[in-house]
Structures are given as C-alpha cells and as structure tokens.
Amino acid sequence: MSQATANAKVRVMSGNEACAEAAIAAGCRFFAGYPITPSSEIAESLARLLPAIGGKFIQMEDEIAAMGAVIGASLAGAKAMTATSGPGFSLKQENIGFAVMAEVPCVVVDVQRGGPSTGLPTMPSQGDVMQARWGTHGDHPIIALCPRGVRETYDLTVRAFNLAERYRTPVILLMDEIVGHVNEKVSLPDRIQVVERGAPAEPPAEYLPYRVTPSDVPPMASFGTGYRYHVTGLAHDETGFPTNDPHKIEQLIERMHRKIERHLDDIVAVDEDFQSGARLGVFAYGSTARAAARAVREARERGTAVSFVSPTTIWPFPAEAVRRLAESVDRILVAELNRGQLTHEVEWAAAGRAEVTGLWRVNGEPIRPADILDRIEQEAS
Amino acid sequence: MDYERYLRQDKMPLIWCPGCGHGIILKAMLRAIDKLGLSQDEVVMVSGIGCSSRATGYVDFNTLHTTHGRPLAFATGIKLSRPELTVMVVTGDGDATAIGGNHFIHAARRNIDVTVLLYNNWIYGMTGGQASPTTPIGARATTAPFGAVENTFDISALAAAAGASYVARGSVTEPVKLDRYIRQGLQKKGFALIEAFTPCPTSFGRQNKQGTGADMMAWLKEHTVDARRAAKMSPEELQDKLVTGVLVDVDKPEFCEGYSRVIEAARDRVRLPELPETEPLPVDPAERGAMR
C-alpha cells in the first residue's frame, strides 16, 4: 500500500479543526491570534499542532497585534495565519491594509458570527462579506474564499495559502459559525498541491522588491536572507521606499490591482450547475449553499427546473458566472445570511438581464433547505 | 567609524528638522551596532509612525516601517519566527505609549528579545505638535492650547514595571552613554528599552518658547542628572530634573527560549495527524499550473 493511500483517512471533524490541520499541511508554520468565539478552536488546535511540527504559535495581546505578528512572521519567511470573528476582524483591518500595500502573503480566517458589534457570538451569519471586501481603507484588491462544509474548509485553507504566496496578498478565508462548528465525516486528501515562496532569481544588489514583472507579481525575498530592503505602508516606488511621485504611485496601485484582475481564471472558483429550461437561478455561498443545494435538488425532483450557481471565491466577485446565469434565466434568487450584501453584487453583475431577488436572514437562525425550497416554488410559479 | 557603511546614502537628506536631536540617536545606534560587529543581513529594524520611525528608511538593514503604534507586534512575529535575527524597534513617545501602549507593555511582559530605542520628544512632531502621553503638565500643544493637564507616563518606569530585562534612559546631550545603553540593550537576552530624550524645536520648542534646537539642548544638558548622582539628591532638588542611567539590568526567562521548551514538550506529547503528500506548484502565476 502506497503512502498516499495510507494517508487517505476518513475522519469526523469540525470545520475549525479542518482549517487548522489544512494550514499545517499547506506549510503554515506561524499563527498569532486572540481568543474569540466561534473561531477559538482554530487557535486551540494550532497551539498544539504548530510546536509539534517545529512551528510557532502565539496568543497576542489583541487582534491588532495578532495581525501585525502574522505580517512580521511572513516577512521573516514563514507561511503565517490568524483566525478571528467579526469584532476581531474589524480590529485587524488596519494591518490587513498594510499587508495589501506591502504585498505580504498571509491568511486571515474570519469565522463569521452575527453582528453588528458583539452581536451574536455563537450564531451563524454571513455579515462580514462586505467587510472582507472593503474593511480596510483605500482602493485595494482582495481575495476572499468561502467554504460550504468541513472538507471544503480543508481544501480552501490550502488554496488560501497558495493564492497568498502566488499573488503576494492577504487572503481572507470567510467561514461561518455553521461551517466552523459542524462536525462532519470527511475523507481527507492524500495529496495536495502547495505553492512555496522561493527566492528572487536576481542577486541582492539588483533586487527591486516592488518591480513590475510580466505577471505583475514581484518575487519576494524574506528578511535575513541577504536581501536587505525596505518595507513600508506608505506609497512606494519599485525600491520599496516612500514616494510622492504621482506617476510612481499610480504604477504601484495599478499593478497591485492588475496582479489580481489579470488572473481571475486562476483565482475565481465557482460551481455552475445550469439546468436547461430553467427560468429561475439560485445563487448561494458558504453554509447557505449547502441548504440551497438540497433545496435545488428537491425542487428538481418535484419537476421544477432550477439553475444553481455557488462560488467558493466571493472576492474577486464571480461576475462572469453571474452574467452567464442571468443570460439563461428570468429571475435569480440569492440566499444569504445578511441583508443582501452579495445580492447587490449579483444585481450589478446581472445588469438587468435577469430580475434579482433575495432571501435574507439576520436573526441568528440559519436559512433552512425548506425556506429556500418554498421561495423557489414561489418564484418559479 | 564608517557611518556611511550603514546609511542609505541615496535616501538623504533626512526629513528631520534643523535642531532636532534624532540624528544624534541614529548615530549612537549605528556606533553600537558597529561595535558589536553585527551583520547587516541579520539585523531587522522595525518602526512605527512618526518622525523617529522614519529612521528605518535611512539605514541599510532589513527595515520595516509599519503602522502607527504596532512595530512591536510586527517585531514579535519576526523574532518568534526567526529567533536568530537581531530585532530592533525604533519608536517614539506617542507611537509606543499612546496608540501602541498595549503592545509596549505586553512585549515587555513577555520579555521577548527585542531592543526598543524610543525617541522621547514629548510631542507628536510629524503631525504638527499635538500632545503626547509625555507632554509635561502645563506645556502647550496644538491639541492642548491652554496647557496640558493630563498626567504623564514615565516610560522607563512603565517598561520596568511591565517586566523588561533592561531599561536605560539617556539624552542626546550624552551621546556616548547612549551608545553604551544601546549596546547593552542589544546584548541583553530579553526585552530592552532605551529611552532617549531629544528636543523637537519645531513642534514643541516653538509653542513653548524654548528657543532654538541649541537652546533646547542646553536646557536638556542642565536638567539631566545621572541616576547615581540623583540617588544623593533630595526630592526638591530632583523636581525639575530628568534622571538618566541604567535603571533595570536583570536576567530573567526570555520568551523565545521559553517557546523552544514548548516545542520540545509538543514534540514529545502531540501526535500529529497524518499529512497529505505535497506536490509543488510554481509560485509565479506566469508559469502556474491549474490550482483547483
């Protein structure tokens, strides 16, 4: 029996545990965090696992510091992660912006709970979708992934690290309380693909940490490897030093956006399940997509044709998939645990080709399959 | 010594004003690093936001200019991740003890092996003279136009109480002593704070009618008293004095060393889950394989 087959293990685990184990598998060797429900199990798991593999875990004095420590560790060469929930995610925004601006790879997990403010610490929500997109100030690109279940949390955690390293950017893993706390039987992969950072090809004297490259992603050198350079949150030129030159500022900000926008085919992942003759489409993500998948299946069993689009990358927004859906149906139903944060994006992407309607909930209760099925039948009739 | 070896010549001139004391501290720092023979590749210098924090842009090390108040959080991640690197933090009174106060006391409590060089000029200089946690009672600031009424932080005492292994306070009027403090701080295994008084003629001096940078230096010189001499002075004599010297120098458990014992314990006691095999994917998107 090969090693790979021996590794294929069926386990019962929660999404939070899957996230922690996948981080280790993806090469994460540094975690800094602060206790917060419903994400604490990620920190608790990594407090045990990381030192056992020679990595480092630290509980910082607050969420701001945890984000700062993660960026520091990444600059020193470690794949690094933090995990939090809404209130902590708010506090991390300042340094997430720094990681965007300084192009420091890192993974930020937000196990969403009900908000605003302290809100509903133990109840599910998808209320941080727009905070993931625009939580930090200024024009910036961001990548946010949204798992629908435990096994997918494992896969997307690995993918989050890969995307972070490849595009030199913070990647938000936007879980929710249901995905984080549900225990499921999962079959873990025996083989995964992992992006390693590598080192610049050029010698230190020629290294420009923020130069324009063919892919728009400059190669990254880690501190302490002979590449002495400057990192700042100020607008900077190709050397990394502050600049007020409008041309250089524009070059930086445009390249930062281009490096994501040019690679949407690599970054944006979305399941498109179109049914011919369907006049209604359903759009859902995260734990709500699990309920939606069942509702769609049951509707089809009852003879109602429904198309279903479910992204695992929500930022950049899967606008092309929504456009295709909008061209094939008359109406799109968006189910989400907030007051329409992505419904409005769907509406923008549909651009009048289909009418967009929402099934929203913000009272701490999940959206159940029956709720979506009722709406499908109502919308389809 | 050859300062130019450590300076990024192409980044001159400095943004610091004429009469500012910051350059004196910068030079003392470079002398300390030179005397210890540290490799430039192995020094990481981290700063926050403010005039003092611009120092990282002028020196040829691995340099990181972070967000306001947060350099110690970033430095903690660097040091814990790579304990073999020498990690220094350059910060100011506002950066370290107002917006960064929490990080300051907790880094000292952890006793992580980071050396903090804090430029204390009793004001927010870069933003134009607003009150800081060290602006003396009665002194004017643009946000305290009728004189500051808040009590001030004794930053060195704060670090000592929070658990620092080494605390020294100096002044730009005693630059040779500053070298020694910085050197001792760098050699200390644990959290080290060197607080250095430095005049800000532009943002503090003008509002408080203290004259030129030279006048402020003369005032500093007159009011600075070494800790050993201060021990023999009465509270009345010490009322308007700034006491300098080595205030704390103790050996106690350092955080990264403590964490290496955590690693040993975890390796003995934790059964790692079986991990999947990994297949490398290229980092450069130009040569990427499908990532799904």
Side-chain angles (χ1 to χ4, degrees), chain A residues 16 53 83 111 123 139 143 147 152 173 188 224 230 244 250 270 272 274 316 318 320 343 345 355 361:
Chain A
N16 283 347
I53 202 161
V111 186
M123 293 182 183
D139 286 284
I143 298 175
E152 199 162 76
L173 184 68
L188 295 181
H230 188 58
N244 283 330
E250 192 169 317
V270 49
E272 296 173 66
F274 285 30
E320 278 305 303
T343 303
E345 290 293 308
E355 205 178 319
R361 187 161 295 166

Side-chain angles (χ1 to χ4, degrees), chain A residues 40-125:
Chain A
S40 293
E41 296 84 4
I42 298 173
E44 288 164 351
S45 297
L46 288 170
R48 289 174 52 78
L49 296 176
L50 271 172
I53 202 161
K56 311 290 167 69
F57 169 92
I58 185 169
Q59 179 176 324
M60 293 297 286
E61 56 273 17
D62 58 34
E63 298 274 8
I64 301 168
M67 194 62 226
V70 160
I71 297 169
S74 181
L75 282 165
K79 286 188 180 175
M81 177 170 102
T82 185
T84 186
S85 187
F89 194 44
S90 296
L91 288 168
K92 291 192 191 299
Q93 295 302 330
E94 173 196 42
N95 283 338
I96 289 174
F98 184 93
V100 170
M101 188 64 148
E103 300 183 67
V104 182
C106 53
V107 174
V108 180
V109 183
D110 172 15
V111 186
Q112 297 168 93
R113 67 192 221 186
S117 189
T118 314
L120 299 159
T122 60
M123 293 182 183
S125 162

Side-chain angles (χ1 to χ4, degrees), chain B residues 102-123:
Chain B
N102 203 27
H103 314 308
F104 183 72
I105 56 174
H106 284 277
R109 172 185 64 78
R110 269 183 208 110
N111 199 33
I112 188 165
D113 186 21
V114 168
T115 302
V116 178
L117 182 52
L118 190 152
Y119 297 49
N120 183 359
N121 59 4
W122 311 287
I123 202 82

